[in-house]
Amino acid sequence: MSEDQKLPSDTFCILPWIHLSTRPDGSMRVCCTANASAVGATNDKKHGGRVGIVKTEDGKPANLNISDLNSAWNNTYMRSVRQMMLAGEKPASCLKCYKEEDAGHMSKRQWETAYWMRDGIDVDELVKETYEDGSTNSKLRYIDIRMGTKCQLGCVMCSPHDSSGWVKDWQGLYPQITNESLKQTMVWANKGKEFGASYNWHKDNPVFWEQFYAQIPYIRQLYFAGGESTVIDEHYEILDKVIEMGYASEMEVRYNSNGIELPDRLLEQWKHFKKVRFHYSIDSIGAMNDYIRYPSEWEHQLKMFKRLDTQTSNNVEITIACAVNALNIYYIPDFLKWKLTESGLHKTNMWPFGAGGINYHFVYWPGHLNVKVLPREFIDKCEAKYEEFIEWWKENWELGVPSWHKGKVTYEQWEDASYGIKRLRGMINFARSEDWTRRMPEFREYLTKLDAQRGTDFRATFPEMAYLLDEPEEE
């Protein structure tokens, strides 16, 4: 199947035909970008404000505690998404991708569709298998599975919805919040136990596991993410079961992981699989990363970088997954220069990944940490820094091209790469695409009170941004 095959419409995405994604509480969704967080206000207050979550016929979240994979695959919500895409319409749950594309980015919709077409999925066949009502006979090829919130970290842009590492700080911080919009953003109603949800949905759930393992012969990719899969027992049990069933050599395993724990057992399991794509969640360097991915320790992360870079088998592909947010967007050039000149990495994020630099995705929620919240004058400073770095990178573009690609990659190919300088300029365009500066009071209150709760110091850690915590003078 040619990657440049004509798609059924300009809004088409392959994922609703081959993929389902879970939330840590057992909710199902079209994909992880369609519901980047599952928290925050929307116009759907009645059912929790959860845009992108697969719903049952009565509009409630289709949770794996009370629903199942098979019925969710062709329920009204999924059928509607497929119908809209075939008609060239934009489902509300998918607007994030379309907005990124408008800002000049390659979105998840675009790269996932291209990836799976290269892998042999025939889009024409998918369309033929789709009935007029949007239901389909196509098989689940790719599942994003998130089993609870167990995690060692409490990242600044996270919440107890996704990390057990946030529970204690949330209990101390939330009662202090006075800004009503911020309070609504940070709500954790009934400790996440709404509409049948539970962070233990994967425990004692024989219907799910029976249906899940029945899909294994068709699944080409398993994707594990937060909580933190490397500290969740069932993650290891799934890998062992797939190996035992004889399908590991035909399957890819993909991770977004904090990389804090990488036991020998896991590295041995990986050797059985066709490919392992490990996206290492690192957002900056030194104290800045420790602040954003609290309470990680940079020296330990460096050791894990080395372990991944030098001790994993040849079928393991390592990339840096940088979550671009209001705290790190100014410092991305520093992160890139560290990676290219100081890190000593040989296997991690080499060409073509990130054009030899870093891979990125945006933090959409919480809104007060989205890059769109930043004042225009600060985004101007970011742009100036980016342009200065881009000129340096153009002169040193081969730093991210490994020896086995030397002579095979031209400067023109590098310059045209989607995740290189195009991506950097796209970040600035995205930051300017909407004005969310009305949320700066939330930004200031959140970081000031979080510092008091944790004993951290935003002003000292991000000195170029310190003035953003100051209340603006009255005009």
Side-chain angles (χ1 to χ4, degrees):
M1 172 60 61
S2 172
E3 186 180 335
D4 59 4
Q5 175 197 7
K6 184 173 174 58
L7 297 176
S9 78
D10 290 339
T11 64
F12 178 84
C13 174
I14 203 168
L15 292 183
W17 278 263
I18 66 169
H19 174 65
L20 271 178
S21 172
T22 66
R23 289 279 303 140
D25 67 355
S27 298
M28 286 176 279
R29 51 189 177 173
V30 180
C31 81
C32 63
T33 297
N35 175 260
S37 172
V39 294
T42 73
N43 57 1
D44 175 24
K45 299 287 174 37
K46 182 178 179 182
H47 296 125
R50 299 185 174 190
V51 171
I53 290 290
V54 176
K55 307 290 177 65
T56 58
E57 305 306 311
D58 59 359
K60 295 179 180 178
N63 191 281
L64 285 167
N65 283 290
I66 56 177
S67 185
D68 61 89
L69 281 175
N70 293 350
S71 60
W73 185 236
N74 277 315
N75 72 9
T76 300
Y77 191 87
M78 291 295 290
R79 295 201 308 268
S80 174
V81 169
R82 296 183 191 117
Q83 286 175 312
M84 291 183 71
M85 286 183 171
L86 291 177
E89 300 171 9
K90 297 178 179 180
S93 58
C94 305
L95 293 179
K96 293 182 181 72
C97 277
Y98 302 124
K99 286 185 177 182
E100 285 193 17
E101 292 160 21
D102 289 343
H105 284 274
M106 176 176 281
S107 70
K108 182 177 177 68
R109 177 184 82 92
Q110 291 173 319
W111 70 257
E112 288 276 20
T113 299
Y115 176 85
W116 288 101
M117 288 171 67
R118 285 196 305 270
D119 197 54
I121 299 294
D122 190 322
V123 171
D124 292 336
E125 286 299 316
L126 293 181
V127 174
K128 287 178 184 178
E129 293 173 348
T130 306
Y131 296 98
E132 190 173 341
D133 68 351
S135 61
T136 178
N137 290 328
S138 65
K139 301 293 185 182
L140 192 63
R141 270 85 158 196
Y142 164 32
I143 185 168
D144 170 350
I145 185 166
R146 306 185 185 213
M147 297 172 286
T149 61
K150 186 178 180 182
C151 184
Q152 315 97 315
L153 302 183
C155 298
V156 69
M157 60 285 195
C158 198
S159 75
H161 292 268
D162 293 88
S163 172
S164 59
W166 243 103
V167 173
K168 183 178 179 180
D169 283 331
W170 183 89
Q171 290 170 336
L173 180 62
Y174 187 73
Q176 303 178 43
I177 300 300
T178 58
N179 183 289
E180 284 303 316
S181 178
L182 179 57
K183 201 152 194 167
Q184 190 175 35
T185 295
M186 293 181 64
V187 72
W188 186 38
N190 198 26
K191 297 185 178 179
K193 295 178 180 178
E194 298 182 288
F195 309 110
S198 167
Y199 299 127
N200 290 320
W201 67 265
H202 54 294
K203 307 280 189 184
D204 192 27
N205 193 337
V207 173
F208 168 78
W209 291 113
E210 180 181 348
Q211 292 182 354
F212 173 77
Y213 285 119
Q215 294 284 345
I216 290 298
Y218 312 104
I219 289 178
R220 297 187 186 181
Q221 186 177 117
L222 291 173
Y223 177 30
F224 295 102
E228 173 53 43
S229 56
T230 61
V231 296
I232 294 173
D233 293 339
E234 287 81 1
H235 152 253
Y236 294 94
E237 292 169 9
I238 290 172
L239 297 186
D240 281 339
K241 183 69 172 177
V242 172
I243 294 168
E244 177 188 322
M245 293 173 71
Y247 291 103
S249 63
E250 303 168 25
M251 189 181 294
E252 293 188 2
V253 183
R254 185 171 150 220
Y255 295 83
N256 269 82
S257 170
N258 61 38
I260 288 176
E261 296 186 36
L262 296 168
D264 292 342
R265 173 190 178 187
L266 180 58
L267 271 58
E268 285 299 315
Q269 286 175 313
W270 284 353
K271 293 176 182 178
H272 294 270
F273 287 85
K274 178 182 177 181
K275 181 181 284 188
V276 175
R277 300 165 67 198
F278 191 88
H279 307 309
Y280 191 11
S281 295
I282 299 289
D283 293 337
S284 195
I285 51 176
M288 290 182 289
N289 189 71
D290 292 347
Y291 185 101
I292 295 170
R293 294 201 166 267
Y294 176 89
S296 64
E297 297 177 356
W298 183 242
E299 289 304 314
H300 180 74
Q301 303 302 134
L302 291 177
K303 291 176 183 177
M304 294 299 102
F305 262 123
K306 185 174 182 180
R307 179 160 170 76
L308 288 164
D309 201 61
T310 63
Q311 297 178 28
T312 52
S313 48
N314 290 336
N315 65 324
V316 179
E317 175 184 290
I318 312 297
T319 55
I320 299 168
C322 176
V324 180
N325 62 78
L327 275 62
N328 69 355
I329 188 170
Y330 179 82
Y331 301 97
I332 295 293
D334 306 307
F335 191 8
L336 272 165
K337 190 168 281 191
W338 170 84
K339 192 271 175 182
L340 292 166
T341 64
E342 298 178 39
S343 68
L345 298 172
H346 300 287
K347 177 178 181 176
T348 303
N349 247 107
M350 290 299 171
W351 174 269
F353 305 110
I358 291 169
N359 285 20
Y360 315 94
H361 58 278
F362 285 115
V363 169
Y364 282 91
W365 206 258
H368 54 272
L369 295 183
N370 188 306
V371 294
K372 297 176 185 179
V373 77
L374 294 167
R376 305 299 94 174
E377 55 84 16
F378 186 77
I379 295 174
D380 290 343
K381 292 179 182 178
C382 293
E383 182 176 30
K385 186 172 181 176
Y386 278 44
E387 290 301 323
E388 180 180 354
F389 172 78
I390 285 169
E391 291 307 308
W392 176 88
W393 201 6
K394 285 180 178 179
E395 295 177 3
N396 297 277
W397 69 276
E398 289 188 287
L399 287 174
V401 180
S403 58
W404 56 90
H405 276 302
K406 296 292 185 186
K408 301 175 185 176
V409 182
T410 66
Y411 173 81
E412 290 71 25
Q413 288 174 311
W414 173 84
E415 187 177 33
D416 194 49
S418 298
Y419 272 73
I421 57 177
K422 285 185 177 181
R423 185 69 160 167
L424 292 178
R425 286 174 171 149
M427 287 181 198
I428 301 299
N429 292 338
F430 183 77
R432 285 204 175 107
S433 64
E434 293 178 279
D435 184 353
W436 288 15
T437 52
R438 66 188 182 279
R439 306 194 79 146
M440 279 301 291
E442 298 169 54
F443 174 92
R444 288 190 286 269
E445 180 177 0
Y446 178 74
L447 292 175
T448 299
K449 290 181 176 176
L450 185 63
D451 277 352
Q453 172 68 26
R454 292 181 165 178
T456 50
D457 189 338
F458 175 84
R459 292 176 185 271
T461 308
F462 305 92
E464 293 82 0
M465 299 182 71
Y467 73 97
L468 296 178
L469 288 191
D470 296 334
E471 294 289 342
E473 296 181 6
E474 296 290 338
E475 295 185 358

